Amino acid sequence: MDVDPRLYEQIAVNDNDIHNIIMSYLVHNCFKETVESFIACTGMKQPSDYLEDMEKRKRIYQFALEGNALKAIELTEQLATNLLEKNKDLHFDLLSLHFVELVCSRKCTEALEFAQMKLTPFGKEQKYVEKLEDFMALLAYEEPEKSPMFHLLSLEYRQHVAESLNRAILAHGNHPTYTAMERLIQQTTVVRQCLNQEHAKDGPPPFSLKDFLKS
Protein backbone atom coordinates (compact mmCIF):
# COMPACT_ATOMS: atom_id res chain seq x y z
CA MET A 1 0.00 0.00 0.00
CA ASP A 2 1.07 3.59 -0.50
CA VAL A 3 0.74 6.47 1.97
CA ASP A 4 -2.73 8.00 1.84
CA PRO A 5 -2.29 11.64 0.64
CA ARG A 6 -5.02 12.67 3.10
CA LEU A 7 -2.54 12.00 5.90
CA TYR A 8 -0.26 14.83 4.85
CA GLU A 9 -2.22 17.17 2.58
CA GLN A 10 -3.65 19.05 5.58
CA ILE A 11 -0.23 19.65 7.13
CA ALA A 12 0.72 23.32 6.77
CA VAL A 13 4.18 24.14 5.42
CA ASN A 14 5.70 27.48 6.33
CA ASP A 15 6.71 29.61 3.34
CA ASN A 16 9.95 30.58 5.10
CA ASP A 17 10.89 26.92 5.37
CA ILE A 18 10.32 26.47 1.64
CA HIS A 19 12.37 29.60 0.91
CA ASN A 20 15.22 28.29 3.07
CA ILE A 21 15.20 24.95 1.28
CA ILE A 22 15.36 26.67 -2.12
CA MET A 23 18.05 29.07 -0.92
CA SER A 24 20.12 26.18 0.42
CA TYR A 25 20.04 24.50 -3.00
CA LEU A 26 20.91 27.69 -4.90
CA VAL A 27 23.79 28.67 -2.61
CA HIS A 28 25.21 25.14 -2.52
CA ASN A 29 25.32 25.01 -6.32
CA CYS A 30 26.71 28.54 -6.69
CA PHE A 31 23.78 30.02 -8.62
CA LYS A 32 24.71 33.53 -7.50
CA GLU A 33 22.54 35.52 -9.92
CA THR A 34 19.51 33.38 -9.10
CA VAL A 35 20.23 33.76 -5.37
CA GLU A 36 20.27 37.53 -5.70
CA SER A 37 16.99 37.50 -7.66
CA PHE A 38 15.42 35.13 -5.13
CA ILE A 39 16.48 37.36 -2.23
CA ALA A 40 15.00 40.39 -3.99
CA CYS A 41 11.70 38.58 -4.60
CA THR A 42 11.29 37.05 -1.14
CA GLY A 43 12.92 39.67 1.06
CA MET A 44 15.26 37.09 2.56
CA LYS A 45 18.57 38.21 3.99
CA GLN A 46 21.86 36.49 3.27
CA PRO A 47 25.28 37.51 4.65
CA SER A 48 27.38 39.25 2.00
CA ASP A 49 30.47 37.19 2.86
CA TYR A 50 28.50 34.03 2.08
CA LEU A 51 27.76 35.38 -1.39
CA GLU A 52 31.43 36.29 -1.82
CA ASP A 53 32.53 32.77 -0.91
CA MET A 54 29.91 31.39 -3.28
CA GLU A 55 31.45 33.30 -6.18
CA LYS A 56 34.87 31.89 -5.29
CA ARG A 57 33.48 28.36 -5.04
CA LYS A 58 31.79 28.80 -8.41
CA ARG A 59 35.09 29.69 -10.06
CA ILE A 60 36.83 26.73 -8.42
CA TYR A 61 34.04 24.36 -9.43
CA GLN A 62 34.12 25.62 -13.01
CA PHE A 63 37.89 25.25 -13.31
CA ALA A 64 37.70 21.67 -12.00
CA LEU A 65 34.82 20.87 -14.35
CA GLU A 66 36.80 22.20 -17.31
CA GLY A 67 39.81 20.12 -16.32
CA ASN A 68 41.91 23.14 -15.30
CA ALA A 69 42.82 21.40 -12.06
CA LEU A 70 45.96 23.40 -11.27
CA LYS A 71 43.97 26.63 -11.21
CA ALA A 72 41.29 24.93 -9.10
CA ILE A 73 43.98 23.81 -6.66
CA GLU A 74 45.50 27.29 -6.50
CA LEU A 75 42.17 28.96 -5.73
CA THR A 76 41.20 26.25 -3.24
CA GLU A 77 44.41 26.80 -1.28
CA GLN A 78 43.58 30.52 -1.14
CA LEU A 79 39.98 29.98 0.01
CA ALA A 80 40.41 26.91 2.22
CA THR A 81 43.95 26.78 3.55
CA ASN A 82 45.31 23.27 4.22
CA LEU A 83 42.16 21.61 2.88
CA LEU A 84 43.96 19.59 0.22
CA GLU A 85 46.84 18.84 2.54
CA LYS A 86 44.39 17.17 4.90
CA ASN A 87 42.23 15.59 2.18
CA LYS A 88 44.68 13.49 0.19
CA ASP A 89 41.99 11.65 -1.77
CA LEU A 90 40.63 14.91 -3.13
CA HIS A 91 44.12 16.24 -3.83
CA PHE A 92 44.93 13.08 -5.79
CA ASP A 93 41.70 13.36 -7.80
CA LEU A 94 42.46 16.96 -8.74
CA LEU A 95 46.03 16.18 -9.77
CA SER A 96 44.73 13.27 -11.82
CA LEU A 97 42.44 15.67 -13.71
CA HIS A 98 45.48 17.65 -14.82
CA PHE A 99 47.25 14.45 -15.84
CA VAL A 100 44.22 13.46 -17.93
CA GLU A 101 44.15 16.86 -19.64
CA LEU A 102 47.81 16.44 -20.62
CA VAL A 103 47.09 12.98 -22.01
CA CYS A 104 44.09 14.24 -23.97
CA SER A 105 46.25 17.03 -25.40
CA ARG A 106 48.72 14.34 -26.52
CA LYS A 107 51.42 15.82 -24.29
CA CYS A 108 52.53 12.38 -23.19
CA THR A 109 56.07 13.30 -22.16
CA GLU A 110 54.79 16.18 -20.04
CA ALA A 111 52.10 13.92 -18.60
CA LEU A 112 54.67 11.29 -17.63
CA GLU A 113 56.91 13.88 -15.99
CA PHE A 114 53.95 15.31 -14.10
CA ALA A 115 52.90 11.85 -12.93
CA GLN A 116 56.40 11.04 -11.70
CA MET A 117 56.64 14.30 -9.79
CA LYS A 118 53.09 14.71 -8.41
CA LEU A 119 51.22 11.39 -8.60
CA THR A 120 53.87 8.72 -7.97
CA PRO A 121 54.37 9.75 -4.28
CA PHE A 122 50.76 8.68 -3.64
CA GLY A 123 51.79 5.14 -4.62
CA LYS A 124 53.32 4.70 -1.18
CA GLU A 125 49.77 4.01 0.01
CA GLN A 126 48.13 0.86 -1.31
CA LYS A 127 44.72 2.46 -1.89
CA TYR A 128 46.19 4.66 -4.64
CA VAL A 129 48.13 1.95 -6.48
CA GLU A 130 45.23 0.67 -8.61
CA LYS A 131 44.14 4.21 -9.47
CA LEU A 132 47.68 5.10 -10.49
CA GLU A 133 47.88 2.04 -12.71
CA ASP A 134 44.64 3.00 -14.46
CA PHE A 135 45.81 6.55 -15.12
CA MET A 136 49.26 5.51 -16.29
CA ALA A 137 47.70 2.95 -18.63
CA LEU A 138 46.15 5.82 -20.61
CA LEU A 139 49.64 6.61 -21.95
CA ALA A 140 49.70 3.27 -23.77
CA TYR A 141 46.83 4.22 -26.10
CA GLU A 142 46.98 6.46 -29.14
CA GLU A 143 43.31 7.18 -28.57
CA PRO A 144 42.89 7.09 -24.78
CA GLU A 145 39.19 7.94 -25.12
CA LYS A 146 38.75 4.46 -26.65
CA SER A 147 40.69 2.68 -23.90
CA PRO A 148 39.11 0.58 -21.13
CA MET A 149 39.75 3.57 -18.83
CA PHE A 150 37.78 5.98 -21.01
CA HIS A 151 35.56 6.96 -18.07
CA LEU A 152 38.52 8.82 -16.53
CA LEU A 153 38.32 11.23 -19.46
CA SER A 154 34.59 11.80 -19.18
CA LEU A 155 32.64 14.87 -18.12
CA GLU A 156 30.97 12.69 -15.48
CA TYR A 157 34.33 12.02 -13.82
CA ARG A 158 35.28 15.72 -13.83
CA GLN A 159 31.84 16.55 -12.44
CA HIS A 160 32.28 13.99 -9.66
CA VAL A 161 35.62 15.54 -8.66
CA ALA A 162 34.25 19.10 -8.90
CA GLU A 163 31.27 18.24 -6.69
CA SER A 164 33.48 16.50 -4.14
CA LEU A 165 35.69 19.59 -4.05
CA ASN A 166 32.68 21.87 -3.58
CA ARG A 167 31.41 19.77 -0.67
CA ALA A 168 34.86 19.73 0.94
CA ILE A 169 35.15 23.53 0.72
CA LEU A 170 31.70 23.91 2.27
CA ALA A 171 32.64 21.54 5.11
CA HIS A 172 35.87 23.47 5.64
CA GLY A 173 33.80 26.62 6.14
CA ASN A 174 31.46 24.82 8.56
CA HIS A 175 28.60 24.86 6.05
CA PRO A 176 26.36 21.84 5.26
CA THR A 177 27.88 19.57 2.63
CA TYR A 178 24.45 18.58 1.31
CA THR A 179 21.53 20.85 0.53
CA ALA A 180 18.42 20.81 2.71
CA MET A 181 16.53 19.36 -0.28
CA GLU A 182 18.98 16.46 -0.59
CA ARG A 183 18.81 15.73 3.15
CA LEU A 184 14.99 15.75 3.05
CA ILE A 185 14.98 13.25 0.19
CA GLN A 186 17.59 11.08 1.94
CA GLN A 187 15.64 11.06 5.20
CA THR A 188 12.33 10.39 3.44
CA THR A 189 13.88 7.48 1.57
CA VAL A 190 15.29 5.96 4.78
CA VAL A 191 11.95 6.36 6.63
CA ARG A 192 10.03 4.69 3.81
CA GLN A 193 12.57 1.86 3.68
CA CYS A 194 12.21 1.30 7.43
CA LEU A 195 8.41 1.32 7.18
CA ASN A 196 8.57 -1.13 4.32
CA GLN A 197 10.79 -3.51 6.27
CA GLU A 198 8.74 -3.18 9.45
CA HIS A 199 5.37 -3.85 7.85
CA ALA A 200 6.60 -6.22 5.13
CA LYS A 201 3.86 -6.77 2.54
CA ASP A 202 1.46 -4.36 4.24
CA GLY A 203 3.95 -1.50 4.35
CA PRO A 204 4.34 1.29 1.80
CA PRO A 205 6.61 0.66 -1.19
CA PRO A 206 10.17 2.04 -1.16
CA PHE A 207 10.24 5.78 -1.76
CA SER A 208 10.85 6.75 -5.38
CA LEU A 209 11.41 10.43 -6.12
CA LYS A 210 10.61 9.80 -9.77
CA ASP A 211 7.23 8.23 -8.91
CA PHE A 212 6.52 10.91 -6.30
CA LEU A 213 7.02 13.71 -8.82
CA LYS A 214 4.55 12.00 -11.13
CA SER A 215 1.87 11.73 -8.43
Side-chain angles (χ1 to χ4, degrees):
M1 70 175 199
D2 204 348
V3 177
D4 189 337
R6 290 174 297 180
L7 296 176
Y8 56 79
E9 284 181 348
Q10 302 304 317
I11 297 177
V13 180
N14 190 291
D15 285 346
N16 287 334
D17 292 336
I18 296 176
H19 293 164
N20 286 328
I21 290 172
I22 295 172
M23 179 64 74
S24 167
Y25 177 83
L26 295 175
V27 170
H28 179 96
N29 290 287
C30 306
F31 297 135
K32 183 180 179 182
E33 293 79 7
T34 309
V35 166
E36 292 172 341
S37 297
F38 190 69
I39 289 174
C41 292
T42 61
M44 294 184 69
K45 293 182 180 180
Q46 197 72 27
S48 58
D49 58 338
Y50 204 175
L51 294 177
E52 183 180 347
D53 285 350
M54 180 170 53
E55 182 61 30
K56 292 177 181 178
R57 283 192 298 109
K58 182 178 181 179
R59 291 185 65 207
I60 293 171
Y61 181 91
Q62 199 60 41
F63 279 126
L65 193 62
E66 293 170 354
N68 191 346
L70 297 186
K71 188 63 177 180
I73 290 173
E74 176 189 340
L75 295 179
T76 298
E77 290 175 341
Q78 293 174 10
L79 180 61
T81 307
N82 299 326
L83 169 61
L84 297 178
E85 183 179 336
K86 296 177 181 177
N87 193 331
K88 293 184 65 176
D89 289 351
L90 184 56
H91 195 193
F92 176 86
D93 288 341
L94 284 166
L95 292 172
S96 71
L97 285 186
H98 181 65
F99 174 81
V100 166
E101 285 303 302
L102 293 174
V103 172
C104 290
S105 301
R106 304 302 190 263
K107 298 178 180 178
C108 295
T109 300
E110 189 176 341
L112 182 58
E113 292 174 350
F114 178 80
Q116 291 173 335
M117 187 183 346
K118 296 293 186 179
L119 294 178
T120 300
F122 285 88
K124 295 177 182 178
E125 296 185 42
Q126 186 60 37
K127 66 177 181 177
Y128 295 112
V129 172
E130 186 175 346
K131 289 183 176 180
L132 279 170
E133 291 174 348
D134 286 344
F135 282 110
M136 296 304 294
L138 292 171
L139 294 171
Y141 294 87
E142 292 185 7
E143 297 180 276
E145 60 275 4
K146 296 182 180 180
S147 73
M149 289 72 64
F150 70 92
H151 64 280
L152 297 175
L153 284 63
S154 67
L155 174 61
E156 288 76 16
Y157 180 72
R158 295 198 303 274
Q159 189 170 20
H160 167 73
V161 176
E163 289 176 351
S164 296
L165 177 57
N166 186 45
R167 295 188 196 282
I169 293 173
L170 285 167
H172 187 272
N174 295 317
H175 299 302
T177 55
Y178 288 89
T179 67
M181 190 180 302
E182 288 174 302
R183 296 198 302 274
L184 278 171
I185 293 172
Q186 290 167 342
Q187 290 175 15
T188 301
T189 301
V190 170
V191 169
R192 290 289 293 268
Q193 287 175 343
C194 290
L195 287 172
N196 181 258
Q197 293 172 1
E198 182 178 344
H199 297 285
K201 295 181 180 180
D202 294 328
F207 177 73
S208 167
L209 179 60
K210 183 178 180 180
D211 292 340
F212 177 78
L213 293 174
K214 290 180 180 179
S215 63

